[in-house]
């Protein structure tokens, strides 16, 4: 008999088994016991702390009130039989903190990825804004728009408009302004 245990949480599990045509009794016995190492010799009905009766028309049942992080031995037999090794399965319940499992990790990864992309977009927008504020192109006053890709007769100027000779003279010693590429050079 192949016993399948699925949907295991910290306190519950679902057990299923194939129907047994040789079982003429009115119910299956689903027996389980925590700390399966304490079962020393053989699998007798008296060794199990919990026994649920399931009608023979059913081939699955839900176990509840299990202890978290505990290893169980579970056996499924016909009503009057002692279990054999082939009719038993060992399983462990989860820790109470791991109930989220994969879906919780996927959600956390999605939130992290979305916030990283948002921060990248904000950083690029701020950088673009700072570069265009610190070094704007001079505008053609006749047309009210930017003229050409850097015409030689229009120099780029720092924020604050044209820098006259009095502005150039007030720069700290060793610092010169280069109007062709909107930068300051230390000499």
């Amino acid at each position: 008999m192949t016993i399948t245990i699925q949907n295991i949480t910290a306190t519950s599990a679902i057990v299923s088994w194939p129907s047994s045509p040789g079982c003429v009794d009115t119910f299956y016995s689903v027996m389980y016991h925590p700390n399966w190492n304490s079962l020393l010799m053989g699998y007798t009905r008296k060794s199990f702390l919990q026994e649920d009766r399931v009608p023979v028309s059913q081939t699955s049942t839900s176990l509840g009130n299990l202890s978290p992080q505990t290893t169980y031995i579970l056996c499924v037999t016909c009503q009057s039989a002692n279990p054999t090794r082939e009719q038993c399965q060992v399983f462990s319940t989860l820790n109470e903190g791991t109930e989220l499992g994969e879906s919780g990790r996927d959600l956390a990864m999605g939130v992290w990825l979305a916030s990283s992309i948002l921060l990248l977009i904000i950083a690029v927008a701020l950088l673009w804004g700072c570069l265009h504020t610190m070094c704007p192109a001079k505008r053609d006053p006749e047309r009210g728009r930017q003229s050409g890709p850097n015409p030689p007769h229009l120099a780029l100027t720092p924020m604050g408009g044209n820098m006259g000779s009095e502005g150039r003279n007030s720069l700290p010693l060793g610092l010169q302004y280069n109007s062709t590429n909107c930068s300051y050079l230390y000499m």
Side-chain angles (χ1 to χ4, degrees):
M1 178 183 295
T2 304
I3 299 172
T4 306
I5 303 170
Q6 52 194 349
N7 297 344
I8 299 171
T9 67
T11 58
S12 66
I14 295 177
V15 181
S16 59
W17 58 90
S19 78
S20 176
C23 187
V24 292
D25 292 322
T26 58
F27 61 88
Y28 289 106
S29 286
V30 179
M31 301 167 280
Y32 50 101
H33 182 80
N35 302 320
W36 67 279
N37 293 338
S38 66
L39 293 177
L40 299 175
M41 294 295 279
Y43 300 96
T44 62
R45 297 178 87 76
K46 294 184 234 171
S47 303
F48 292 91
L49 292 178
Q50 184 70 34
E51 181 176 351
D52 295 341
R53 293 181 174 188
V54 179
V56 287
S57 58
Q58 284 182 246
T59 57
S60 68
T61 188
S62 179
L63 305 178
N65 298 322
L66 302 176
S67 299
Q69 273 187 312
T70 303
T71 302
Y72 284 87
I73 185 166
L74 176 129
C75 299
V76 178
T77 66
C78 281
Q79 170 184 341
S80 59
N82 278 326
T84 63
R85 183 177 294 251
E86 293 79 32
Q87 296 171 318
C88 298
Q89 183 77 25
V90 175
F91 73 98
S92 295
T93 55
L94 301 176
N95 184 353
E96 288 181 270
T98 59
E99 293 286 326
L100 287 178
E102 275 306 307
S103 62
R105 281 189 287 273
D106 290 345
L107 177 65
M109 184 59 91
V111 169
W112 178 83
L113 185 61
S115 61
S116 297
I117 290 171
L118 182 62
L119 285 174
L120 181 64
I121 291 170
I122 291 171
V124 167
L126 287 173
L127 182 62
W128 182 82
C130 287
L131 287 175
H132 285 319
T133 302
M134 298 297 283
C135 193
K138 205 175 204 182
R139 299 197 177 264
D140 187 355
E142 295 172 7
R143 291 188 234 161
R145 60 182 177 84
Q146 229 176 349
S147 57
N150 279 340
H153 67 281
L154 294 176
L156 297 174
T157 59
M159 197 165 105
N162 290 333
M163 186 179 252
S165 61
E166 67 280 347
R168 286 189 191 100
N169 291 338
S170 65
L171 291 174
L173 190 59
L175 184 66
Q176 286 192 334
Y177 174 71
N178 182 350
S179 63
T180 57
N181 65 2
C182 188
S183 64
Y184 291 94
L185 302 172
Y186 287 99
M187 298 287 191

